[in-house]
Amino acid sequence: MSQLLSTSLGPVRLIGENATPIWGMPNAERNRRMAESAAKNGRRLANGHELLFNLTYAFDPLLLTLALEAPGTLFTWGEAPIVGQVAQGADPLRAPHIIDLSDGRRLYNRQLRKLEQPMVRELTPASRREIERRSYFGAYKGVTDLLTKYLWPELALVLTRIAAQLRMTPNMVSVIGVSLCLLATFLFAKGLYWTGFLSGFIFMVLDTVDGKLARCTITSSKWGNVIDHGVDLVHPPFWWYFWGTGLAYWGLQLPGTTFAFVMTAVVAGYVLQRLIEGMFLKDFKMDIHVWRRFDSQFRLITARRNPNMVILFVALLFGRPDIGLVALAWWTIISLIVHAVRLAQAYGQARSGRPIVSWMDEAEGQA
């Protein structure tokens, strides 16, 4: 059985039937959303081609991205077609580029900065929760900080499932998170660090949930991305500043010159590190943290919000939030130096005629 849909992307053919829902929606609706989302991102089908989805299976959205990049490509699992951009009306298994994923091959996901075997599973009532789990973890960036990678994925999975069941949109989650972010800023300014930490912790978890909810339910939006990434980019220096002013309530305020040094280090260091990352992305068309394995490992602890909060948390356990802020400043300086050195090394390598290639691209080529 097959059904032909008209979408903004172009003709979409659904083959098979499946009544098992995934993330609170029929598989056909999820596939339709993926097609519409691709169209919003400027994708189009090649002339004379249609997009094919097999409703029997759930799969990693990366496969759709790759199929849209190469007309005539069909991903299969053994003899079963999964997803592909194939000639209209033709037998999909006669597509010129058939890639059988049952051989366990790994593919590099540039958007999420990871190299892994993409998920392909038959969607049944028995496999639904495991598929949702795998699609959730599949939406995680492979290169990120240690808290996002190791501490709260399971908690965020529970919250993502609850949000999906409640039919919450990612923007709803973002609004709750932003409110908690502002509350944490106020509490830090008043020296209420533990309460501020609780508010900030929930915000940081929700900062993961909104993105995962958007990817799993295919409900991302332009303004949602602007709000999410805009808040992520802007708020950390305000947290560190008001953490510093809140020290007065503990009788631990820093001397004027020390406070000025700390604020200069954390703000200028943060901005300069972001600029270095932007320069690397602009000149080498990749994130600096996926160049070499060292860069990916250093991303776990580099001076971003989450690792910095670990520093402040440890200092707070010992009753010295002032020392925590000074340590945060020095860690920001060290992280800035590391990034500056790596950028200089990349430019030097490029000038010598050697290409700048991600270690993940190299690993994919060797697979």
Side-chain angles (χ1 to χ4, degrees), residues 6-21:
S6 177
T7 70
S8 302
L9 184 68
V12 172
R13 185 171 299 279
L14 306 177
I15 62 174
E17 293 182 295
N18 200 332
T20 304

Side-chain angles (χ1 to χ4, degrees), residues 2 8 19 22 27-28 47 59 101 106 124-125 133 136 162 183 246 250 294 306-307 320-321 339 341 343 366:
S2 69
S8 302
I22 176 172
N27 200 21
N47 290 334
F59 60 88
L101 296 171
R106 297 187 299 167
T124 67
R133 180 181 179 83
Y136 164 83
I162 292 173
L183 177 60
W250 287 55
F294 166 81
N306 291 357
R320 294 304 302 267
H339 281 79
V341 169
L343 180 64
Q366 295 168 2

Side-chain angles (χ1 to χ4, degrees), residues 120-136:
V120 176
R121 285 287 304 276
E122 186 174 350
L123 178 60
T124 67
S127 66
R128 178 184 64 83
R129 286 187 67 83
E130 177 59 24
I131 287 174
E132 288 181 347
R133 180 181 179 83
R134 289 193 62 183
S135 68
Y136 164 83

Side-chain angles (χ1 to χ4, degrees), residues 277-328:
E277 293 172 13
M279 291 171 63
F280 197 100
L281 182 63
K282 173 180 175 293
D283 292 336
F284 303 114
K285 305 300 184 288
M286 77 172 80
D287 190 289
I288 192 173
H289 299 117
V290 300
W291 180 22
R292 300 286 87 191
R293 285 183 183 270
F294 166 81
D295 303 301
S296 298
Q297 293 165 351
F298 191 71
R299 177 63 180 87
L300 290 168
I301 58 173
T302 194
R304 292 281 191 90
R305 179 197 64 201
N306 291 357
N308 286 349
M309 289 294 279
V310 173
I311 295 173
L312 295 178
F313 178 76
V314 172
L316 200 56
L317 285 176
F318 289 94
R320 294 304 302 267
D322 55 329
I323 294 178
L325 187 60
V326 174
L328 187 156

